[in-house]
Amino acid sequence: MTKVTCDLSISLDGCSAGLGQAEDRPFGDDGGDGWGSVLHAWMEAPEEMRWQMDRLAETKAFIMGRNMFGPVRGSWDREWNGWWGPNPPYHAPVFVLTHHAREPQPMEGGTTFHFVTDGPAKAFDLAREAAGDGNISIHGGASTINQYLTLGLIDELRLRIVPVTLGAGTRLFDGVPGLRLEQTSSRSGEAFTHVTYRVLR
């Protein structure tokens, strides 16, 4: 049975990125180098990285916002195929929310970026069709996850909570109606606590 998840690293005050995001600082004022060196320090933990790659392998379709896909704003005035190089880690269809149409972009390893201009509900329908019985990940950033939480379409939140506060930025749960969550697991690392919650209907 398909499970719809999200997987996000956030500060203690709920931010997935700071203010001032730019191409040379994609996470903005993130308490580190602007490239997620603090928020994504978990990537240096082999056990956590292995867990993450196992979850990616279970996922058969992804949805992300345009800001997560890249820094290009407005019309597609230059070629941009994501932050991840020629072989992104998804190896599945990725549906990118955007207001500007673009042809699908196939990449190495089975990833194809599809650009959806008809809103989050349409992207979800496409992802569900592509995933079959596999899982769907609402992969970020926080603003995109907030849209799907508001629509009631996420079953499970997987959050890495990092011991830093940013004060301001792109914040998880902004504008989302109140939720009831059930904690199903947690584990600690040196630079994060990973908590999984089931979203109760």
Side-chain angles (χ1 to χ4, degrees), residues 66-144:
R66 175 144 177 203
N67 288 2
M68 181 172 175
F69 178 71
V72 182
R73 303 293 184 262
S75 61
W76 298 99
D77 58 359
R78 62 185 169 106
E79 185 176 348
W80 179 268
N81 295 326
W83 299 102
W84 305 277
N87 188 359
Y90 303 108
H91 308 301
V94 179
F95 298 92
V96 180
L97 298 173
T98 177
H99 296 293
H100 298 272
R102 177 177 164 178
E103 290 299 310
Q105 179 59 54
M107 307 291 287
E108 295 176 16
T111 300
T112 298
F113 293 109
H114 301 270
F115 301 91
V116 182
T117 59
D118 297 326
K122 178 62 173 179
F124 186 83
D125 289 342
L126 293 169
R128 184 167 51 188
E129 181 179 357
D133 292 332
N135 291 345
I136 298 169
S137 175
I138 312 300
H139 216 59
S143 296
T144 297

Side-chain angles (χ1 to χ4, degrees), residues 143-187:
S143 296
T144 297
I145 291 169
N146 290 343
Q147 292 181 67
Y148 285 96
L149 285 171
T150 298
L151 289 170
L153 293 174
I154 294 180
D155 301 313
E156 186 174 275
L157 297 176
R158 302 168 178 170
L159 304 178
R160 290 181 199 82
I161 303 169
V162 180
V164 64
T165 60
L166 302 187
T170 306
R171 199 181 306 270
L172 187 64
F173 303 123
D174 267 1
V176 177
L179 300 171
R180 292 180 59 235
L181 307 173
E182 176 187 5
Q183 183 172 313
T184 60
S185 69
S186 67
R187 63 183 182 280

